[in-house]
Amino acid sequence: DAGITQSPRHKVTETGTPVTLRCHQTENHRYMYWYRQDPGHGLRLIHYSYGVKDTDKGEVSDGYSVSRSKTEDFLLTLESATSSQTSVYFCAISESGTVRDSNQPQHFGDGTRLSIL
Amino acid sequence: GDSVTQMEGPVTLSEEAFLTINCTYTATGYPSLFWYVQYPGEGLQLLLKATKADDKGSNKGFEATYRKETTSFHLEKGSVQVSDSAVYFCALEDTGRRALTFGSGTRLQVQP
C-alpha cells in the first residue's frame, strides 16, 4: 500500500471551533489532494497541491484552507467548523499529477471521519 | 463543468450473477475515465482505467469500454462474488487541474 497516513482517523468537535486534519506521505509524490465524501455526492475536491507552498482550490473550497510547507505533509484546516462540514475526508497523492500518463494511480488514504455538533 | 452520472444503488445480486453499473459523463475535450472501488472502512482503490475512445480497461474480471459516441463507461463483470461487495465510483480526469471528478457511487451487495 502507498504510504499515506491521515490523522486523526475520527474526530468529534463543536460548531465554531478550528479543526486541522493532517495527511502525511512517505512516497515523495509531488501532488496531494483533499476530497470530502458525502452521501449522494461521491468525492468532491476541496483543495490540491502541486508542490511545496503551491496550492489551488477545488470545487468545494469555501470554509477550508490548506498548507504544504514540506513535501510529505498536507494540512487541511477548517477555521470555524460548521455542521455542513461533517463528512469523511480523504487525502490522495499522485506522482505525476495525471493518472492517464502514469502507471501509478492516484493513491488514497483511509479517511478521517469528522463530526461537527 | 465536468460531471459524472452513475446509476443509483444499492445493486443487490446473487453470487455468479452478471453485473452492469452504468456510468455516463459530460466533459470538454477527451478525458480519461476510471472506475474506483471502496471497501468498507477503506480508501478508494483504482480498479481500471481507459484513456481514449474504444479503449477497454480490465482488472480482476471487471471490464469497461470507453464509448465516446454515447459518452459512457459502463462497468461489467460476468460472475460476481461475495467479495465484490463494495461501493464503485466512476470518475474522469480533469487534465487542467489534474484531479478527479467522481460520480456519486453505486453500492453493490452480493449475496451467497
Side-chain angles (χ1 to χ4, degrees):
Chain A
D1 287 346
I4 307 171
T5 304
Q6 290 188 233
S7 58
R9 291 295 314 279
H10 303 271
K11 186 173 181 66
V12 180
T13 190
E14 294 183 348
T15 300
T17 59
V19 177
T20 295
L21 307 183
R22 180 180 184 236
C23 178
H24 178 78
Q25 62 147 327
T26 58
E27 306 296 320
N28 201 36
H29 284 357
R30 179 182 174 190
Y31 291 83
M32 299 185 75
Y33 309 83
W34 277 108
Y35 293 88
R36 59 178 289 175
Q37 183 180 22
D38 303 292
H41 290 279
L43 276 75
R44 293 178 291 175
L45 182 67
I46 305 171
H47 282 279
Y48 70 105
S49 170
Y50 47 96
V52 173
K53 298 186 179 177
D54 292 323
T55 65
D56 205 350
K57 296 179 179 180
E59 60 184 302
V60 291
S61 60
D62 288 348
Y64 301 94
S65 62
V66 290
S67 66
R68 191 167 179 203
S69 58
K70 45 187 177 178
T71 299
E72 57 266 36
D73 289 327
F74 192 32
L75 303 180
L76 177 70
T77 298
L78 292 65
E79 300 290 348
S80 178
T82 67
S83 58
S84 65
Q85 293 175 312
T86 292
S87 186
V88 180
Y89 291 85
F90 285 97
C91 174
I93 65 174
S94 173
E95 182 178 23
S96 71
T98 169
V99 182
R100 176 187 59 201
D101 296 334
S102 171
N103 290 323
Q104 297 296 324
Q106 201 173 105
H107 295 285
F108 285 80
D110 289 335
T112 294
R113 186 173 295 276
L114 177 62
S115 297
I116 301 165
L117 307 178
Chain B
D2 297 347
S3 67
V4 176
T5 302
Q6 288 180 237
M7 60 188 292
E8 293 283 335
V11 174
T12 303
L13 297 173
S14 297
E15 206 164 21
E16 299 184 1
F18 184 86
L19 168 70
T20 299
I21 300 177
N22 291 336
C23 170
T24 58
Y25 68 90
T26 302
T28 55
Y30 304 97
S32 295
L33 302 173
F34 312 92
W35 278 100
Y36 278 80
V37 59
Q38 184 181 32
Y39 298 102
E42 299 183 8
L44 278 69
Q45 303 172 26
L46 181 67
L47 181 59
L48 53 84
K49 66 178 183 181
T51 58
K52 61 182 185 295
D54 299 325
D55 267 2
K56 178 185 283 187
S58 61
N59 186 26
K60 300 180 181 179
F62 291 90
E63 294 183 339
T65 301
Y66 190 144
R67 301 289 188 196
K68 180 170 173 288
E69 63 276 11
T70 56
T71 62
S72 64
F73 193 55
H74 304 322
L75 182 68
E76 297 181 335
K77 187 175 186 182
S79 177
V80 294
Q81 305 300 313
V82 172
S83 58
D84 293 327
S85 297
V87 181
Y88 292 82
F89 292 93
C90 185
L92 63 81
E93 184 178 51
D94 177 343
T95 54
R97 288 185 314 207
R98 297 188 166 181
L100 296 168
T101 298
F102 287 88
S104 58
T106 302
R107 182 176 300 279
L108 171 65
Q109 299 173 335
V110 180
Q111 299 175 338

